[in-house]
Amino acid sequence: MSTAPPNFVSLHTVGLEVRSHLLCILDVEGTPIMRTWNIVRLQSKLLSPAAEAFRYFIIERGEAHLLEHDRALLQAPAQAPRRAE
């Protein structure tokens, strides 16, 4: 048996594949792992209005947006992926 640590991919990264039944979410003890996101930027760099709006959205609503977006995937029972034909 391998002693390599497990590898994880963010749920929102593979959401389309999970919804399309190309991947499935395994029920593993201790998961999901919730992480804190950070936004980093150079203070000396002036952001464009679009970049500043995105930054503001992520700070104010990012966590709630991801939870809402991924809620159905977190509550759905695991389904085996479909085999490629």
Side-chain angles (χ1 to χ4, degrees):
M1 181 167 207
S2 173
T3 58
N7 293 298
F8 295 95
V9 177
S10 298
L11 180 59
H12 64 271
T13 302
V14 295
L16 177 62
E17 289 81 1
V18 172
R19 285 182 178 89
S20 300
H21 303 290
L22 297 171
L23 293 175
C24 67
I25 300 171
L26 300 176
D27 186 16
V28 177
E29 185 177 335
T31 62
I33 298 173
M34 305 307 267
R35 301 279 184 184
T36 300
W37 286 59
N38 297 289
I39 294 182
V40 180
R41 70 175 187 98
L42 294 173
Q43 280 189 317
S44 61
K45 181 171 172 90
L46 183 62
L47 297 177
S48 69
E52 183 59 40
F54 179 71
R55 180 182 161 279
Y56 179 80
F57 173 81
I58 293 298
I59 290 169
E60 295 297 318
R61 302 229 344 101
E63 182 178 5
H65 175 76
L66 287 177
L67 286 172
E68 182 64 31
H69 182 265
D70 297 338
R71 178 174 292 135
L73 297 175
L74 289 170
Q75 295 172 347
Q79 294 181 353
R82 291 185 298 209
R83 293 188 180 264
E85 296 181 25

